[in-house]
């Protein structure tokens, strides 16, 4: 069993008792009491005696990332006096045990710990051997992840442990080691009581651990999915897909995967994560800045790639099919772009038409960036007449030239001419109107001739009801929000990975509950 341990800085008894009660109510099965700021047995002893949960007692010195300035001997004496009642473990720094020549007091079981707040210790494996050969009951090694690949080393240490072990990476890139600790059989992982109140960088709240990352459902065979990007912590995809796994009963967990920009970083991530036995990496969403890198990587690997994704030049979904042998090194990869299908579905379902029917429509695509390109490629493929309106006309012209004649006609026009346009469908793919600039519209105040036959689709999902959509509603036009696209691209991914119908309504509820209401 891997314990879920809430770390608490003790400042006074009442507050700490309250926090222990909150941790118990939130589902923690252990607390770590960090006493390095109190140093007073009159506070610590009653707290330990009344604790609702088993405690780890830790008095971390300044030189190991804590607050305590006492000498080693003084700290050990304090721990000795305080470690009574409900204390189940005492944590002592490995470094202190090297300097302390006398026998350690006859405590409860011991955790010997080693932390590196800067990066990976050069002598990582020497430290682990020292921990494993020491008299401690639990070996704890924690370091700051330099890249996401450091997590794999933590998993490897857990796989090869000879005694109970805690192996964690700190920082944003190390987040997955905190969640997957359970999959790899760690002694415990730490969580904070609330977001942003952790005792170490990268700790996530117990509520997120339980509700978003499915802590209670994680096991050795749990399949791993995630979204690759940088930055990535803002992504709503983990909340959406994990809620989906819960709904359909799929044994999976979906994680934010921070991979630095650049093809080499993406490739190194793919090669190491795909080849890591026991990880069960089964599917990836790919977002900014890696969608083009993803296509290149899959091309180099000779993977199966959806033809339209090739034409668009980006892949946002990888399906990883392990061979029957179970050897992940021989997994086959397939690449898709679920964004284009999401754009097409958002439009055609609202209009009650088939994709092929788009051949009879004139569509204005506003914007010529990544999303504009995806929309233009998809519309041109299904024969729509498409006019690309963009602030930078040359960009619109290049895009039009690339896709004109694929099936439908594509032309370019300056954004300023949009109010003179006469199309049945308008798709905004610019970022104009996105939070926090919620009063802006790519049209300004001059609207084209819109009627109840016009459909206006804004790909922006935050806010859900943009200024552009308000203008469209006021003109009597039909509207579609970017939430629809977000839901549909996630549906495409979920179904490709699980082979089960995606709970689209659950996805919609998760997204809507997370988006801030319009000011
Ligand atoms: P991008 O590649 O950076 O393209 C941005 C586009 O917006 C360009 O055409 C740019 O014009 C235009 N633009 C930016 N600021 C402007 C301004 N002040 N006035 C006029 N035009 C302006 O961005 P992207 O990745 O395509 O994303 C664009 C939007 O798509 C985002 O807002 C995002 O919300 C939305 N999106 C939604 C989903 C979904 O699932 N719903 C998914 C992906 C993206 P220039 O060429 O002149 O610079």
């Amino acid at each position: 069993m891997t314990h879920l341990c809430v770390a608490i800085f003790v400042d006074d008894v009442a507050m700490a008792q309250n926090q222990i009660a909150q941790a118990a109510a939130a589902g923690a099965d252990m607390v770590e009491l960090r006493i390095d700021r109190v140093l007073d047995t009159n506070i610590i002893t009653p707290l330990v005696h009344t604790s609702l949960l088993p405690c780890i007692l830790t008095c971390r010195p300044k030189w190991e990332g804590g607050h305590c300035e006492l000498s080693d001997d003084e700290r050990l004496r304090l721990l000795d006096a305080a470690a009574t009642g409900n204390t189940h473990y005492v944590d002592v720094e490995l470094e202190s045990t090297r300097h302390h020549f006398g026998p350690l007091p006859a405590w409860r079981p011991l955790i010997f710990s080693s932390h590196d707040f800067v990066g990976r210790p050069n002598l990582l494996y020497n430290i682990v051997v020292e921990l494993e050969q020491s008299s401690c009951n639990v070996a704890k090694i924690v370091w700051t992840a330099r890249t996401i690949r450091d997590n794999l080393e933590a998993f490897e240490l857990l796989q090869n442990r000879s005694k109970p072990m805690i192996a964690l990476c700190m920082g944003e890139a190390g987040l997955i080691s905190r969640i997957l600790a359970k999959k790899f059989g760690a002694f415990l992982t730490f969580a904070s009581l609330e977001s942003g109140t952790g005792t170490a960088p990268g700790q996530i709240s117990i509520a997120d651990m339980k509700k978003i990352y499915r802590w209670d459902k994680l096991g050795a065979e749990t399949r791993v999915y995630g979204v690759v990007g940088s930055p990535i912590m803002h992504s709503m995809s983990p909340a959406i897909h994990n809620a989906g796994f819960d709904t359909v009963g799929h044994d999976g967990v979906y994680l934010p995967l921070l991979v630095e920009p650049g093809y080499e970083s993406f490739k190194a991530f793919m090669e190491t994560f795909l080849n890591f036995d026991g990880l069960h990496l089964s599917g990836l969403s790919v977002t900014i800045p890696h969608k083009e890198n993803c296509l290149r990587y899959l091309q180099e690997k000779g993977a199966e790639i959806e033809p339209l994704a090739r034409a668009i030049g980006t892949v946002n979904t990888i399906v990883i099919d392990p061979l029957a042998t179970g050897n992940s090194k021989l997994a086959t990869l397939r690449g898709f772009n679920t964004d284009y299908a999401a754009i097409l579905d958002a439009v055609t379902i609202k209009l009650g038409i088939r994709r092929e029917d788009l051949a009879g429509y004139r569509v204005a695509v506003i914007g010529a960036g990544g999303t504009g390109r995806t929309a233009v490629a998809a519309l041109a493929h299904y024969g729509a007449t498409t006019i690309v309106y963009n602030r930078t006309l040359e960009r619109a012209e290049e895009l039009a030239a690339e896709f004109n004649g694929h099936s439908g006609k594509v032309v370019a026009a300056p954004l300023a001419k949009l109010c003179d346009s006469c199309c049945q469908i308008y798709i905004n793919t610019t970022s104009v109107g996105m939070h926090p600039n919620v009063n802006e519209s790519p049209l300004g105040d001059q609207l084209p001739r819109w009627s109840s036959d016009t459909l206006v689709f804004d790909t922006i999902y935050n806010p859900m009801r943009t200024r552009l959509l308000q203008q469209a509603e006021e003109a009597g036009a039909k509207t579609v929000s970017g939430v629809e696209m977000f839901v549909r691209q996630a549906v495409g991914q979920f179904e490709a990975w699980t082979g089960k119908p995606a709970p689209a309504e659950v996805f919609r509820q998760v997204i809507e509950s997370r988006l801030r209401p319009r000011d």
Side-chain angles (χ1 to χ4, degrees):
M1 172 188 171
T2 300
H3 298 286
L4 183 53
C5 178
V6 166
I8 294 171
F9 271 125
V10 179
D11 286 312
D12 72 66
V13 176
M15 194 192 292
Q17 278 174 332
N18 184 274
Q19 289 177 330
I20 294 170
Q22 286 180 51
D29 44 43
M30 197 175 261
V31 283
E32 179 190 39
L33 299 179
R34 285 285 299 269
I35 61 170
D36 30 316
R37 293 206 293 225
V38 282
L39 309 177
D40 182 351
T41 47
N42 292 324
I43 292 178
I44 302 160
T45 308
L47 183 59
V48 168
H49 271 291
T50 57
S51 177
L52 296 171
L53 293 172
C55 308
I56 299 171
L57 214 50
T58 305
C59 184
R60 194 72 75 220
K62 269 206 154 159
W63 49 261
E64 185 114 349
H67 297 269
C68 182
E69 294 188 72
L70 298 179
S71 69
D72 272 3
D73 279 339
E74 288 168 323
R75 270 190 318 111
L76 295 178
R77 271 201 297 277
L78 176 73
L79 282 167
D80 191 25
T84 55
N86 218 0
T87 306
H88 282 62
Y89 290 88
V90 177
D91 179 314
V92 181
E93 303 69 37
L94 179 67
E95 184 66 22
S96 299
T97 68
R98 289 177 185 146
H99 300 151
H100 187 85
F101 295 109
L104 287 170
W107 283 327
R108 312 268 169 157
L110 282 168
I111 299 171
F112 284 174
S113 57
S114 173
H115 303 79
D116 191 325
F117 287 87
V118 178
R120 177 192 179 280
N122 286 335
L123 300 175
L124 179 71
Y125 286 90
N126 295 24
I127 296 169
V128 172
V129 168
E130 191 180 348
L131 283 168
E132 294 212 304
Q133 290 178 353
S134 74
S135 60
C136 73
N137 304 80
V138 180
K140 177 182 178 191
I141 176 93
V142 179
W143 73 94
T144 302
R146 300 157 304 170
T147 74
I148 193 161
R149 299 192 298 283
D150 273 357
N151 295 283
L152 298 182
E153 236 174 338
F155 302 151
E156 207 166 68
L157 293 175
L158 291 170
Q159 284 175 327
N160 297 318
R161 68 188 181 275
S162 63
K163 61 164 64 170
M165 181 178 279
I166 302 163
L168 294 171
C169 292
M170 292 185 282
E172 211 177 302
L175 181 128
I176 68 167
S177 70
R178 298 184 179 277
I179 299 162
L180 297 183
K182 189 172 178 195
K183 182 174 168 67
F184 290 99
F187 174 72
L188 65 71
T189 197
F190 292 101
S192 61
L193 209 45
E194 280 165 24
S195 298
T197 63
T199 52
Q203 253 177 37
I204 51 179
S205 72
I206 184 162
D208 284 354
M209 194 68 102
K210 287 250 179 187
K211 289 205 185 100
I212 297 184
Y213 296 111
R214 314 190 70 227
W215 177 261
D216 295 328
K217 302 278 170 46
L218 298 183
E221 298 301 316
T222 299
R223 302 202 152 275
V224 173
Y225 304 81
V227 53
V228 181
S230 176
I232 206 60
M233 289 313 292
H234 65 286
S235 173
M236 287 193 286
S237 296
I240 294 168
H241 285 291
N242 285 322
F245 293 158
D246 260 350
T247 306
V248 306
H250 181 69
D251 185 13
V253 63
Y254 185 104
L255 307 165
L257 302 167
L258 178 67
V259 176
E260 318 80 72
Y263 180 68
E264 290 310 321
S265 301
F266 183 80
K267 183 176 176 179
F269 161 77
M270 289 299 295
E271 296 285 300
T272 50
F273 273 62
L274 279 175
N275 286 336
F276 194 85
D277 280 333
L279 183 63
H280 305 113
L281 188 67
S282 301
L284 294 168
S285 309
V286 181
T287 187
I288 295 169
H290 289 303
K291 289 185 185 183
E292 288 88 358
N293 294 333
C294 182
L295 175 63
R296 180 175 158 193
Y297 177 76
L298 293 179
Q299 282 173 327
E300 283 181 8
K301 299 300 274 187
E304 181 187 324
I305 303 167
E306 188 187 20
L308 202 46
R310 274 187 202 271
I312 295 167
T314 57
V315 166
N316 77 336
T317 310
I318 300 178
V319 178
I320 301 159
D321 298 314
L323 288 189
T325 59
N327 184 345
S328 60
K329 292 184 179 70
L330 300 175
T332 58
L333 304 177
R334 289 181 285 140
F336 302 89
N337 185 318
T338 63
D339 284 337
Y340 88 81
I343 291 173
L344 290 173
D345 289 349
V347 168
T348 54
I349 290 171
K350 184 73 181 185
L351 292 175
I353 61 173
R354 297 169 309 144
R355 288 182 182 180
E356 291 71 22
D357 297 332
L358 286 167
Y361 282 77
R362 276 173 71 85
V363 185
V365 172
I366 312 164
T371 311
R373 180 182 173 80
T374 306
V376 168
L379 292 162
H381 183 78
Y382 284 96
T385 298
T386 308
I387 303 115
V388 190
Y389 291 91
N390 198 43
R391 178 178 62 178
T392 311
L393 181 59
E394 303 79 59
R395 226 177 153 189
E397 285 172 339
E398 277 170 30
L399 185 56
E402 190 177 341
F403 290 102
N404 184 32
H406 273 209
S407 181
K409 187 175 170 194
V410 185
V411 294
L415 187 58
K417 290 282 180 199
L418 187 58
C419 56
D420 301 330
S421 61
C422 184
C423 296
Q424 293 120 307
I425 301 170
Y426 289 78
I427 304 177
N428 175 41
T429 71
T430 73
S431 46
V432 183
M434 194 162 78
H435 182 84
N437 303 315
V438 295
N439 293 320
E440 294 179 5
S441 159
L443 296 176
D445 290 325
Q446 285 196 302
L447 303 189
R449 284 178 294 278
W450 283 348
S451 70
S452 57
D453 291 330
T454 313
L455 173 70
V456 180
F457 167 31
D458 198 337
T459 64
I460 292 173
Y461 55 82
N462 186 11
M464 290 182 278
R465 192 164 165 264
T466 57
R467 176 82 192 111
L468 178 70
L469 292 186
Q470 289 173 49
Q471 290 174 312
E473 282 168 15
E474 284 159 17
K478 301 179 189 70
T479 60
V480 177
S481 144
V483 171
E484 240 2 77
M485 177 179 167
F486 202 104
V487 168
R488 292 183 186 286
Q489 60 81 26
V491 163
Q493 298 183 325
F494 188 95
E495 294 183 348
W497 296 327
T498 64
K500 295 177 182 166
E505 203 41 50
V506 171
F507 289 3
R508 204 167 276 118
Q509 283 163 13
V510 171
I511 295 168
E512 290 180 1
S513 71
R514 290 185 153 249
L515 290 173
R516 64 183 71 224
R518 194 167 143 65
D519 297 330

